[in-house]
Amino acid sequence: EQDLSRSNTLILFLLNKVLRQLSVLYSFYFNSTKSFFFSNIPAMVLAAKQTLSAKIGFSAPLPRRNPSSSLQRLPLSLSFPSPALPKRTVLTLSKPLHLSSLRAKSPVRRSAYEADKSEPPQPIDDTKSEAAKKLKIGVYFATWWALNVVFNIYNKKVLNAYPYPWLTSTLSLAAGSLMMLISWAVGIVETPKTDFDFWKTLFPVAVAHTIGHVAATVSMSKVAVSFTHIIKSGEPAFSVLVSRFLLGETFPSSVYLSLIPIIGGCALSALTELNFNMIGFMGAMISNLAFVFRNIFSKKGMKGKSVSGMNYYACLSMLSLLILTPFAFAVEGPQMWIDGWQKALSDIGPQFVWWVAAQSVFYHLYNQVSYMSLDQISPLTFSVGNTMKRISVIVSSIIIFRTPVQPVNALGAAIAILGTFLYSQAKL
Protein backbone atom coordinates (compact mmCIF):
# COMPACT_ATOMS: atom_id res chain seq x y z
CA GLU A 1 0.00 0.00 0.00
CA GLN A 2 2.89 2.40 0.75
CA ASP A 3 4.41 1.61 -2.64
CA LEU A 4 1.03 2.27 -4.30
CA SER A 5 0.69 5.54 -2.38
CA ARG A 6 4.19 6.64 -3.42
CA SER A 7 3.45 5.66 -6.99
CA ASN A 8 0.24 7.70 -6.99
CA THR A 9 2.06 10.67 -5.46
CA LEU A 10 4.76 10.52 -8.12
CA ILE A 11 2.17 10.16 -10.83
CA LEU A 12 0.25 13.21 -9.63
CA PHE A 13 3.46 15.23 -9.34
CA LEU A 14 4.46 14.46 -12.96
CA LEU A 15 0.93 15.01 -14.17
CA ASN A 16 0.84 18.42 -12.53
CA LYS A 17 4.10 19.31 -14.29
CA VAL A 18 2.62 18.37 -17.68
CA LEU A 19 -0.67 20.12 -17.04
CA ARG A 20 1.09 23.29 -15.95
CA GLN A 21 2.81 23.54 -19.34
CA LEU A 22 -0.37 22.71 -21.20
CA SER A 23 -2.30 25.35 -19.29
CA VAL A 24 -0.16 28.11 -20.82
CA LEU A 25 -0.82 26.89 -24.34
CA TYR A 26 -4.52 26.38 -23.74
CA SER A 27 -4.99 29.79 -22.10
CA PHE A 28 -3.55 31.48 -25.25
CA TYR A 29 -5.72 29.31 -27.44
CA PHE A 30 -8.76 30.09 -25.27
CA ASN A 31 -8.27 33.86 -25.49
CA SER A 32 -7.76 33.81 -29.27
CA THR A 33 -10.78 31.70 -30.15
CA LYS A 34 -13.14 33.15 -27.50
CA SER A 35 -13.96 29.71 -26.09
CA PHE A 36 -16.85 27.53 -27.04
CA PHE A 37 -18.62 24.33 -25.97
CA PHE A 38 -19.66 26.11 -22.74
CA SER A 39 -22.85 24.10 -22.44
CA ASN A 40 -20.92 20.79 -22.38
CA ILE A 41 -17.81 21.75 -20.40
CA PRO A 42 -19.18 21.00 -16.89
CA ALA A 43 -20.09 17.46 -17.90
CA MET A 44 -16.73 17.00 -19.65
CA VAL A 45 -14.81 18.25 -16.62
CA LEU A 46 -16.73 15.89 -14.30
CA ALA A 47 -16.18 12.95 -16.64
CA ALA A 48 -12.46 13.69 -16.84
CA LYS A 49 -12.16 13.87 -13.04
CA GLN A 50 -14.07 10.65 -12.51
CA THR A 51 -12.00 8.87 -15.17
CA LEU A 52 -8.75 10.09 -13.63
CA SER A 53 -9.87 9.13 -10.14
CA ALA A 54 -10.79 5.63 -11.22
CA LYS A 55 -7.56 5.10 -13.15
CA ILE A 56 -5.11 6.19 -10.45
CA GLY A 57 -6.79 4.27 -7.66
CA PHE A 58 -8.97 6.67 -5.65
CA SER A 59 -11.90 4.73 -4.21
CA ALA A 60 -14.17 7.73 -3.68
CA PRO A 61 -15.18 9.81 -6.67
CA LEU A 62 -14.22 13.44 -6.74
CA PRO A 63 -16.91 15.78 -5.42
CA ARG A 64 -19.30 17.26 -7.94
CA ARG A 65 -19.34 20.95 -8.58
CA ASN A 66 -22.30 23.12 -9.26
CA PRO A 67 -22.36 23.55 -13.07
CA SER A 68 -23.72 27.04 -12.74
CA SER A 69 -20.71 28.16 -10.75
CA SER A 70 -18.41 26.77 -13.44
CA LEU A 71 -20.10 28.85 -16.08
CA GLN A 72 -19.68 32.00 -14.02
CA ARG A 73 -15.90 31.78 -14.06
CA LEU A 74 -13.89 32.12 -17.27
CA PRO A 75 -11.73 30.39 -18.19
CA LEU A 76 -12.80 27.07 -16.62
CA SER A 77 -10.14 25.23 -14.63
CA LEU A 78 -9.42 21.69 -13.56
CA SER A 79 -7.50 21.12 -10.29
CA PHE A 80 -5.81 18.01 -8.94
CA PRO A 81 -4.65 17.36 -5.36
CA SER A 82 -0.92 17.13 -4.92
CA PRO A 83 0.86 16.41 -1.62
CA ALA A 84 4.15 17.68 -3.02
CA LEU A 85 2.66 20.86 -4.53
CA PRO A 86 0.36 22.73 -2.15
CA LYS A 87 -0.61 25.24 -4.87
CA ARG A 88 -3.36 24.25 -7.27
CA THR A 89 -2.47 23.75 -10.89
CA VAL A 90 -4.92 25.38 -13.29
CA LEU A 91 -5.61 24.01 -16.74
CA THR A 92 -7.63 26.16 -19.09
CA LEU A 93 -10.00 24.10 -21.18
CA SER A 94 -11.50 25.13 -24.46
CA LYS A 95 -11.85 21.57 -25.81
CA PRO A 96 -12.41 18.22 -24.10
CA LEU A 97 -9.20 16.60 -22.92
CA HIS A 98 -8.92 12.80 -22.92
CA LEU A 99 -6.40 11.01 -20.72
CA SER A 100 -5.02 7.66 -21.74
CA SER A 101 -5.02 4.74 -19.34
CA LEU A 102 -1.97 3.73 -17.31
CA ARG A 103 0.21 0.95 -18.53
CA ALA A 104 1.51 -1.58 -16.05
CA LYS A 105 5.05 -1.58 -17.41
CA SER A 106 5.38 2.19 -17.16
CA PRO A 107 3.44 3.51 -14.19
CA VAL A 108 4.75 7.08 -14.43
CA ARG A 109 3.96 7.59 -18.10
CA ARG A 110 1.02 9.73 -19.16
CA SER A 111 -0.10 11.04 -22.52
CA ALA A 112 -2.77 13.51 -23.43
CA TYR A 113 -4.37 14.52 -26.70
CA GLU A 114 -7.16 16.76 -27.87
CA ALA A 115 -10.31 15.14 -29.12
CA ASP A 116 -10.46 17.64 -32.00
CA LYS A 117 -7.19 18.09 -33.90
CA SER A 118 -8.59 20.84 -36.12
CA GLU A 119 -7.29 24.40 -36.06
CA PRO A 120 -9.29 27.20 -34.42
CA PRO A 121 -12.16 28.29 -36.60
CA GLN A 122 -11.22 31.10 -38.94
CA PRO A 123 -13.54 33.71 -40.45
CA ILE A 124 -13.41 32.13 -43.88
CA ASP A 125 -15.77 34.57 -45.56
CA ASP A 126 -13.92 37.65 -44.26
CA THR A 127 -10.55 36.21 -45.20
CA LYS A 128 -11.69 35.36 -48.71
CA SER A 129 -13.31 38.75 -49.22
CA GLU A 130 -10.17 40.56 -48.05
CA ALA A 131 -7.99 38.45 -50.34
CA ALA A 132 -10.36 39.09 -53.24
CA LYS A 133 -10.22 42.84 -52.58
CA LYS A 134 -6.43 42.86 -52.55
CA LEU A 135 -6.35 40.81 -55.74
CA LYS A 136 -8.79 43.23 -57.38
CA ILE A 137 -6.68 46.25 -56.43
CA GLY A 138 -3.55 44.50 -57.67
CA VAL A 139 -5.21 43.77 -61.00
CA TYR A 140 -6.32 47.42 -61.25
CA PHE A 141 -2.79 48.68 -60.62
CA ALA A 142 -1.14 46.26 -63.03
CA THR A 143 -3.71 47.05 -65.72
CA TRP A 144 -3.39 50.79 -65.12
CA TRP A 145 0.40 50.76 -65.48
CA ALA A 146 0.40 48.42 -68.49
CA LEU A 147 -2.24 50.43 -70.37
CA ASN A 148 -0.42 53.69 -69.64
CA VAL A 149 2.88 52.32 -70.93
CA VAL A 150 1.24 50.98 -74.09
CA PHE A 151 -0.55 54.30 -74.71
CA ASN A 152 2.64 56.34 -74.37
CA ILE A 153 4.52 54.04 -76.74
CA TYR A 154 1.88 54.12 -79.48
CA ASN A 155 1.23 57.82 -78.95
CA LYS A 156 4.91 58.62 -79.48
CA LYS A 157 5.04 56.40 -82.57
CA VAL A 158 2.03 58.19 -84.05
CA LEU A 159 3.42 61.65 -83.26
CA ASN A 160 6.79 60.79 -84.80
CA ALA A 161 5.12 59.81 -88.08
CA TYR A 162 2.13 62.16 -87.88
CA PRO A 163 3.04 65.37 -85.98
CA TYR A 164 -0.48 66.71 -85.46
CA PRO A 165 -1.09 66.66 -81.69
CA TRP A 166 -4.42 68.50 -81.85
CA LEU A 167 -6.00 65.85 -84.06
CA THR A 168 -4.34 63.04 -82.09
CA SER A 169 -5.80 64.44 -78.87
CA THR A 170 -9.24 64.74 -80.47
CA LEU A 171 -9.17 61.13 -81.69
CA SER A 172 -8.28 59.92 -78.17
CA LEU A 173 -11.32 61.63 -76.66
CA ALA A 174 -13.56 60.54 -79.56
CA ALA A 175 -12.61 56.88 -79.17
CA GLY A 176 -13.36 56.91 -75.44
CA SER A 177 -16.68 58.68 -75.93
CA LEU A 178 -17.76 56.19 -78.59
CA MET A 179 -16.81 53.22 -76.43
CA MET A 180 -18.84 54.51 -73.48
CA LEU A 181 -21.87 55.36 -75.62
CA ILE A 182 -21.90 51.80 -76.94
CA SER A 183 -21.47 50.42 -73.40
CA TRP A 184 -24.47 52.44 -72.20
CA ALA A 185 -26.58 51.47 -75.21
CA VAL A 186 -26.08 47.70 -74.86
CA GLY A 187 -26.30 47.76 -71.05
CA ILE A 188 -22.71 46.78 -70.25
CA VAL A 189 -22.40 49.88 -68.04
CA GLU A 190 -25.28 51.52 -66.23
CA THR A 191 -26.21 54.88 -67.73
CA PRO A 192 -25.47 57.70 -65.26
CA LYS A 193 -28.29 59.89 -64.03
CA THR A 194 -27.25 63.45 -64.74
CA ASP A 195 -28.95 66.83 -64.88
CA PHE A 196 -28.12 70.34 -66.02
CA ASP A 197 -26.35 71.18 -62.76
CA PHE A 198 -24.09 68.18 -63.21
CA TRP A 199 -22.93 69.31 -66.67
CA LYS A 200 -22.61 72.91 -65.49
CA THR A 201 -20.25 71.94 -62.68
CA LEU A 202 -18.40 69.56 -65.01
CA PHE A 203 -17.73 72.24 -67.63
CA PRO A 204 -14.73 73.98 -65.93
CA VAL A 205 -13.29 70.55 -65.15
CA ALA A 206 -13.60 69.62 -68.84
CA VAL A 207 -11.93 72.87 -69.94
CA ALA A 208 -8.94 72.24 -67.69
CA HIS A 209 -8.80 68.58 -68.75
CA THR A 210 -8.82 69.55 -72.44
CA ILE A 211 -5.97 72.04 -72.02
CA GLY A 212 -3.91 69.58 -70.00
CA HIS A 213 -4.47 66.75 -72.47
CA VAL A 214 -3.54 68.81 -75.55
CA ALA A 215 -0.53 70.41 -73.85
CA ALA A 216 0.86 67.00 -72.83
CA THR A 217 0.40 65.68 -76.37
CA VAL A 218 2.14 68.73 -77.84
CA SER A 219 5.00 68.18 -75.40
CA MET A 220 5.45 64.54 -76.40
CA SER A 221 5.45 65.52 -80.09
CA LYS A 222 8.52 67.71 -79.47
CA VAL A 223 10.56 65.89 -76.81
CA ALA A 224 11.14 62.37 -75.52
CA VAL A 225 8.38 60.67 -73.57
CA SER A 226 10.69 60.26 -70.59
CA PHE A 227 11.44 63.99 -70.44
CA THR A 228 7.73 64.90 -70.60
CA HIS A 229 6.94 62.61 -67.68
CA ILE A 230 9.89 63.88 -65.66
CA ILE A 231 8.56 67.43 -66.00
CA LYS A 232 5.01 66.25 -65.29
CA SER A 233 6.22 64.75 -62.00
CA GLY A 234 6.48 68.38 -60.84
CA GLU A 235 2.70 68.72 -60.75
CA PRO A 236 2.58 68.72 -56.90
CA ALA A 237 4.61 71.94 -56.87
CA PHE A 238 1.99 73.66 -59.01
CA SER A 239 -0.75 72.24 -56.82
CA VAL A 240 0.73 73.71 -53.64
CA LEU A 241 1.49 77.09 -55.22
CA VAL A 242 -1.98 77.49 -56.74
CA SER A 243 -3.73 76.35 -53.56
CA ARG A 244 -1.60 78.65 -51.42
CA PHE A 245 -1.74 81.89 -53.40
CA LEU A 246 -5.10 81.61 -55.18
CA LEU A 247 -7.19 79.66 -52.68
CA GLY A 248 -5.49 80.74 -49.47
CA GLU A 249 -4.87 77.19 -48.24
CA THR A 250 -2.02 76.48 -45.87
CA PHE A 251 0.10 73.34 -45.62
CA PRO A 252 2.46 71.89 -43.03
CA SER A 253 6.16 72.58 -43.40
CA SER A 254 6.79 68.98 -44.52
CA VAL A 255 4.76 69.63 -47.68
CA TYR A 256 6.82 72.69 -48.57
CA LEU A 257 10.05 70.83 -47.89
CA SER A 258 8.98 68.01 -50.23
CA LEU A 259 8.80 70.54 -53.08
CA ILE A 260 12.56 71.13 -52.93
CA PRO A 261 13.55 67.76 -54.47
CA ILE A 262 10.67 68.00 -56.96
CA ILE A 263 11.70 71.40 -58.31
CA GLY A 264 15.42 70.63 -58.07
CA GLY A 265 15.08 67.27 -59.82
CA CYS A 266 12.98 68.70 -62.68
CA ALA A 267 15.41 71.59 -63.13
CA LEU A 268 18.39 69.25 -63.19
CA SER A 269 16.75 67.03 -65.79
CA ALA A 270 15.77 69.99 -67.97
CA LEU A 271 19.28 71.46 -67.91
CA THR A 272 20.93 68.16 -68.81
CA GLU A 273 18.36 67.00 -71.41
CA LEU A 274 20.19 66.23 -74.66
CA ASN A 275 17.17 66.88 -76.91
CA PHE A 276 15.73 69.85 -75.05
CA ASN A 277 12.93 71.76 -76.79
CA MET A 278 11.25 74.82 -75.35
CA ILE A 279 7.83 74.01 -76.83
CA GLY A 280 7.99 70.52 -75.38
CA PHE A 281 9.09 71.87 -71.99
CA MET A 282 6.37 74.53 -71.89
CA GLY A 283 3.75 71.99 -72.99
CA ALA A 284 4.55 69.78 -70.02
CA MET A 285 4.48 72.77 -67.65
CA ILE A 286 1.12 73.98 -68.99
CA SER A 287 -0.22 70.44 -68.65
CA ASN A 288 0.80 70.41 -64.99
CA LEU A 289 -0.94 73.72 -64.32
CA ALA A 290 -4.11 72.69 -66.19
CA PHE A 291 -4.42 69.37 -64.37
CA VAL A 292 -4.03 71.18 -61.04
CA PHE A 293 -7.01 73.39 -61.89
CA ARG A 294 -8.90 70.31 -63.10
CA ASN A 295 -8.45 68.66 -59.72
CA ILE A 296 -9.47 71.84 -57.88
CA PHE A 297 -12.62 72.32 -59.97
CA SER A 298 -13.45 68.64 -59.65
CA LYS A 299 -13.23 68.71 -55.83
CA LYS A 300 -15.29 71.88 -55.55
CA GLY A 301 -17.96 71.07 -58.10
CA MET A 302 -18.53 67.35 -57.76
CA LYS A 303 -19.24 67.11 -54.04
CA GLY A 304 -22.41 65.12 -53.41
CA LYS A 305 -22.64 63.81 -56.98
CA SER A 306 -23.45 60.10 -57.12
CA VAL A 307 -21.65 59.16 -60.34
CA SER A 308 -19.18 56.28 -60.50
CA GLY A 309 -15.58 56.87 -61.49
CA MET A 310 -16.05 55.17 -64.86
CA ASN A 311 -19.12 57.21 -65.80
CA TYR A 312 -17.61 60.41 -64.44
CA TYR A 313 -14.61 60.09 -66.74
CA ALA A 314 -16.87 59.15 -69.66
CA CYS A 315 -18.90 62.34 -69.23
CA LEU A 316 -15.68 64.32 -68.85
CA SER A 317 -14.33 62.88 -72.12
CA MET A 318 -17.51 63.70 -74.04
CA LEU A 319 -17.63 67.29 -72.85
CA SER A 320 -13.89 67.73 -73.51
CA LEU A 321 -14.41 66.38 -77.04
CA LEU A 322 -17.05 69.03 -77.73
CA ILE A 323 -14.70 71.74 -76.45
CA LEU A 324 -11.60 70.53 -78.30
CA THR A 325 -13.02 69.72 -81.77
CA PRO A 326 -13.51 73.31 -83.06
CA PHE A 327 -10.07 74.36 -81.82
CA ALA A 328 -8.46 71.36 -83.55
CA PHE A 329 -10.04 72.39 -86.86
CA ALA A 330 -8.94 75.98 -86.36
CA VAL A 331 -5.32 75.24 -85.38
CA GLU A 332 -4.46 72.43 -87.83
CA GLY A 333 -7.34 71.90 -90.25
CA PRO A 334 -8.46 69.06 -92.55
CA GLN A 335 -5.99 69.83 -95.35
CA MET A 336 -2.97 69.39 -93.08
CA TRP A 337 -4.46 66.20 -91.67
CA ILE A 338 -5.05 64.68 -95.10
CA ASP A 339 -1.58 65.48 -96.40
CA GLY A 340 0.08 64.20 -93.25
CA TRP A 341 -2.04 61.02 -93.28
CA GLN A 342 -1.00 60.15 -96.82
CA LYS A 343 2.65 60.73 -96.01
CA ALA A 344 2.47 58.60 -92.87
CA LEU A 345 0.81 55.73 -94.77
CA SER A 346 3.47 55.85 -97.46
CA ASP A 347 6.29 55.90 -94.90
CA ILE A 348 4.93 53.44 -92.32
CA GLY A 349 2.38 51.37 -94.20
CA PRO A 350 -1.03 50.06 -93.12
CA GLN A 351 0.17 49.43 -89.57
CA PHE A 352 0.04 53.19 -89.02
CA VAL A 353 -3.76 52.88 -88.87
CA TRP A 354 -3.36 50.37 -86.05
CA TRP A 355 -1.04 52.75 -84.19
CA VAL A 356 -3.63 55.53 -84.32
CA ALA A 357 -6.45 53.22 -83.19
CA ALA A 358 -4.32 51.74 -80.39
CA GLN A 359 -3.21 55.07 -78.94
CA SER A 360 -6.81 56.35 -79.02
CA VAL A 361 -8.30 53.30 -77.31
CA PHE A 362 -5.54 52.82 -74.76
CA TYR A 363 -5.70 56.47 -73.72
CA HIS A 364 -9.31 56.08 -72.66
CA LEU A 365 -8.76 52.68 -71.06
CA TYR A 366 -5.86 53.70 -68.83
CA ASN A 367 -7.68 56.82 -67.62
CA GLN A 368 -10.84 54.82 -67.03
CA VAL A 369 -9.01 52.19 -64.99
CA SER A 370 -7.29 54.91 -62.94
CA TYR A 371 -10.66 56.42 -62.01
CA MET A 372 -11.99 52.95 -61.18
CA SER A 373 -8.96 52.35 -58.97
CA LEU A 374 -9.60 55.59 -57.10
CA ASP A 375 -13.06 54.26 -56.21
CA GLN A 376 -11.49 51.20 -54.54
CA ILE A 377 -8.42 52.54 -52.73
CA SER A 378 -7.36 55.42 -50.52
CA PRO A 379 -5.81 58.60 -51.94
CA LEU A 380 -2.47 57.65 -50.38
CA THR A 381 -2.39 54.29 -52.17
CA PHE A 382 -3.45 55.99 -55.39
CA SER A 383 -0.66 58.57 -55.15
CA VAL A 384 1.92 55.84 -54.59
CA GLY A 385 0.53 53.95 -57.57
CA ASN A 386 0.68 57.09 -59.70
CA THR A 387 4.34 57.59 -58.79
CA MET A 388 5.14 54.00 -59.72
CA LYS A 389 3.22 54.44 -62.97
CA ARG A 390 5.39 57.38 -63.95
CA ILE A 391 8.53 55.39 -63.20
CA SER A 392 7.33 52.51 -65.38
CA VAL A 393 6.57 54.89 -68.28
CA ILE A 394 9.96 56.62 -68.05
CA VAL A 395 11.94 53.40 -67.89
CA SER A 396 9.99 51.60 -70.62
CA SER A 397 10.14 54.56 -73.02
CA ILE A 398 13.90 54.89 -72.55
CA ILE A 399 14.34 51.20 -73.33
CA ILE A 400 11.97 51.02 -76.31
CA PHE A 401 12.94 54.27 -78.01
CA ARG A 402 16.60 53.97 -76.94
CA THR A 403 16.59 57.48 -75.58
CA PRO A 404 20.11 58.66 -74.69
CA VAL A 405 20.23 59.54 -71.00
CA GLN A 406 23.14 61.09 -69.15
CA PRO A 407 23.80 60.00 -65.55
CA VAL A 408 23.09 63.52 -64.29
CA ASN A 409 19.79 63.53 -66.17
CA ALA A 410 18.81 60.19 -64.64
CA LEU A 411 19.76 61.51 -61.20
CA GLY A 412 17.49 64.52 -61.68
CA ALA A 413 14.61 62.26 -62.68
CA ALA A 414 15.13 60.07 -59.62
CA ILE A 415 15.22 63.10 -57.30
CA ALA A 416 12.04 64.55 -58.81
CA ILE A 417 10.15 61.26 -58.51
CA LEU A 418 11.38 60.80 -54.95
CA GLY A 419 10.13 64.28 -54.14
CA THR A 420 6.74 63.41 -55.61
CA PHE A 421 6.54 60.37 -53.37
CA LEU A 422 7.54 62.40 -50.29
CA TYR A 423 4.93 64.99 -51.17
CA SER A 424 2.21 62.35 -51.30
CA GLN A 425 3.25 61.11 -47.85
CA ALA A 426 3.38 64.60 -46.33
CA LYS A 427 0.13 65.75 -47.93
CA LEU A 428 -1.85 62.84 -46.51
Side-chain angles (χ1 to χ4, degrees):
E1 290 179 359
Q2 289 181 352
D3 292 339
L4 181 59
S5 177
R6 291 176 181 175
S7 176
N8 288 339
T9 301
L10 180 60
I11 289 170
L12 290 175
F13 174 79
L14 295 175
L15 185 59
N16 273 316
K17 285 285 188 181
V18 173
L19 294 179
R20 183 179 300 174
Q21 299 299 323
L22 289 176
S23 64
V24 178
L25 299 176
Y26 274 91
S27 61
F28 174 78
Y29 179 82
F30 178 90
N31 294 329
S32 62
T33 57
K34 303 296 184 182
S35 79
F36 52 92
F37 301 141
F38 285 133
S39 60
N40 296 325
I41 281 181
M44 294 177 182
V45 172
L46 182 59
K49 287 182 176 181
Q50 291 177 345
T51 303
L52 180 62
S53 176
K55 294 296 182 181
I56 62 178
F58 287 101
S59 58
L62 296 174
R64 295 175 60 90
R65 260 199 243 172
N66 187 1
S68 61
S69 64
S70 300
L71 291 174
Q72 294 172 358
R73 296 188 301 137
L74 293 177
L76 294 171
S77 62
L78 175 62
S79 302
F80 297 94
S82 174
L85 298 174
K87 294 184 179 180
R88 302 177 66 188
T89 301
V90 178
L91 170 64
T92 302
L93 293 176
S94 62
K95 294 185 179 180
L97 185 70
H98 294 267
L99 301 175
S100 64
S101 59
L102 289 172
R103 296 186 183 180
K105 295 182 180 180
S106 181
V108 297
R109 190 175 175 184
R110 297 290 183 274
S111 62
Y113 65 94
E114 287 184 297
D116 185 5
K117 293 288 185 180
S118 62
E119 296 293 331
Q122 301 289 337
I124 299 176
D125 294 339
D126 294 343
T127 303
K128 289 184 177 180
S129 62
E130 186 68 20
K133 183 179 180 180
K134 290 181 180 179
L135 178 61
K136 186 177 180 180
I137 294 174
V139 171
Y140 274 153
F141 268 43
T143 306
W144 177 22
W145 298 342
L147 292 174
N148 190 266
V149 169
V150 173
F151 159 72
N152 281 276
I153 292 172
Y154 278 110
N155 189 46
K156 185 59 178 177
K157 285 185 175 182
V158 170
L159 292 173
N160 287 340
Y162 190 67
Y164 299 101
W166 289 80
L167 177 60
T168 303
S169 302
T170 305
L171 293 177
S172 300
L173 296 174
S177 301
L178 180 62
M179 291 168 59
M180 290 307 300
L181 287 174
I182 296 175
S183 300
W184 291 340
V186 299
I188 298 177
V189 180
E190 184 180 358
T191 305
K193 297 179 181 179
T194 61
D195 52 16
F196 178 76
D197 290 337
F198 172 83
W199 293 101
K200 185 174 67 173
T201 55
L202 186 65
F203 181 78
V205 182
V207 172
H209 178 74
T210 303
I211 296 174
H213 176 43
V214 174
T217 308
V218 170
S219 175
M220 282 190 283
S221 69
K222 299 296 182 180
V223 296
V225 176
S226 57
F227 179 72
T228 298
H229 280 272
I230 291 172
I231 301 303
K232 283 177 65 64
S233 65
E235 183 178 328
F238 287 87
S239 178
V240 172
L241 294 177
V242 170
S243 300
R244 177 68 182 88
F245 293 105
L246 295 184
L247 303 179
E249 296 183 10
T250 57
F251 301 93
S253 58
S254 57
V255 172
Y256 295 108
L257 291 175
S258 68
L259 300 182
I260 297 177
I262 295 177
I263 298 174
C266 290
L268 183 61
S269 296
L271 293 175
T272 58
E273 175 65 25
L274 296 176
N275 299 316
F276 180 82
N277 182 280
M278 182 57 68
I279 296 178
F281 175 75
M282 292 304 299
M285 297 289 282
I286 293 173
S287 176
N288 283 338
L289 186 61
F291 283 140
V292 166
F293 279 104
R294 180 193 65 177
N295 295 337
I296 292 174
F297 292 145
S298 180
K299 290 179 181 179
K300 287 184 173 294
M302 300 309 298
K303 290 183 178 179
K305 304 294 183 181
S306 57
V307 178
S308 66
M310 180 186 298
N311 284 331
Y312 176 77
Y313 181 72
C315 296
L316 180 62
S317 297
M318 294 175 187
L319 191 54
S320 296
L321 176 63
L322 295 177
I323 297 172
L324 176 59
T325 301
F327 289 96
F329 275 91
V331 174
E332 294 175 348
Q335 188 60 46
M336 296 177 62
W337 296 339
I338 294 174
D339 295 340
W341 187 271
Q342 292 175 350
K343 185 178 184 302
L345 282 178
S346 62
D347 294 342
I348 306 300
Q351 62 179 341
F352 172 73
V353 179
W354 159 250
W355 290 359
V356 175
Q359 71 92 25
S360 301
V361 172
F362 283 114
Y363 172 78
H364 175 79
L365 291 179
Y366 101 77
N367 278 285
Q368 179 175 289
V369 172
S370 69
Y371 274 83
M372 293 168 61
S373 301
L374 191 57
D375 281 344
Q376 303 290 328
I377 59 180
S378 65
L380 175 60
T381 306
F382 183 85
S383 64
V384 174
N386 193 48
T387 303
M388 298 303 296
K389 177 210 74 174
R390 210 168 291 285
I391 294 175
S392 63
V393 171
I394 292 173
V395 173
S396 61
S397 63
I398 290 175
I399 295 174
I400 293 174
F401 295 108
R402 299 178 180 178
T403 305
V405 179
Q406 294 182 352
V408 179
N409 186 264
L411 177 62
I415 294 174
I417 293 173
L418 176 61
T420 304
F421 176 77
L422 295 177
Y423 167 81
S424 66
Q425 305 295 310
K427 186 72 163 55
L428 298 170

